[in-house]
Amino acid sequence: MVPAAPRTPGPARSRLHWEGAGLRRPEVRGRRRRGRKCVRGRSRKRGARGRAAGRGGPWREPMGKHCASLGLLRGPWDQVFAAFWQRYPNPYSKHVLTEDIVHREVTADQKLLSRRLLTKTNRMPRWAERFFPANVAHSVYILEDSIVDPKNRTMTTYTWNINHARLMVVEERCVYCVNPENSSWTQVRREAWISSSLFGVSRAIQEFGLARFKSNVTKSTKGFEYVLAKMQGEAPSKTLVETAKEATEKAKETALAATEKAKDLASKAATKKKQQYV
């Protein structure tokens, strides 16, 4: 059985080489035809902008927020590829609850195709909680499709949430490849699209989603580096929690030492004062 093509985020959907990845592209003819009718119907009501869309193709309003970044992992591509499947658990991924592989196969051109289901916690902002009942699960189910090309030494991943889509959809694409300037490092090109269909507050939710995504990228990178350090036999860098705990304990010890010293000085001063009166 040939799996359906992975869902490619945002505008990148039209740029994926489906045949090159050995995947079956889903049939979308009927959807396209209905889409054209819908767009044409809207363009008649939108005056010059609609007519321009009719001449140059269907006009679409920009949807959601887009974010792109370029990062580096201090490890060769082969090691990064191995670490990718061993990322969880790590001290920076406490929000990741479960991971399960639901499909995996090797294509005729020796590419590894995988699909994983991840469960993560998702704490909503307080102002957004009133839009959802208290019994709504705060866990998010995420699908992750990956295409590994060992010949060209690239790994492409696509992730998106499959629940809470009315509140927010976060779609991400990552490409891991050898860094052209240093072959012993791995380059990560990351893109994300954040959208919301909740009427009236979609823009605020998208801003929140973008900030949350950037925060999670930082945690993900640190977690990746933690796993790589363990694989390389190095001592992983301390987490923020561990650093804060050590700083707190050190502060307590310093405060205790200062208190004892103050008591000692006060005791010596009182003894000296008594001797003067005698």
Side-chain angles (χ1 to χ4, degrees), residues 23 40 57 67 86 103 112 120 124 138 155-156 163 171 173 185 187-188 199 209 213 215 240 261:
L23 302 171
R40 285 173 184 162
C67 175
Q86 303 176 37
H103 180 82
L112 175 66
K120 300 183 180 182
M124 293 183 290
H138 287 186
M155 177 171 63
T156 306
N163 66 333
E171 303 173 284
R173 179 180 65 183
W185 289 1
Q187 181 175 280
V188 184
F199 180 76
F213 173 78
S215 173
L240 293 176
K261 189 174 182 179

Side-chain angles (χ1 to χ4, degrees), residues 257-269:
T259 303
E260 294 295 331
K261 189 174 182 179
K263 287 181 179 179
D264 186 46
L265 290 173
S267 177
K268 287 181 180 180

Side-chain angles (χ1 to χ4, degrees), residues 176-211:
Y176 300 80
C177 60
V178 179
N179 181 23
E181 298 178 0
N182 187 342
S183 59
S184 61
W185 289 1
T186 303
Q187 181 175 280
V188 184
R189 294 196 303 271
R190 192 186 309 269
E191 285 186 278
W193 293 263
I194 298 97
S195 59
S196 173
S197 59
L198 202 59
F199 180 76
V201 292
S202 60
R203 180 171 296 182
I205 290 176
Q206 289 167 13
E207 292 287 352
F208 168 79
L210 183 60

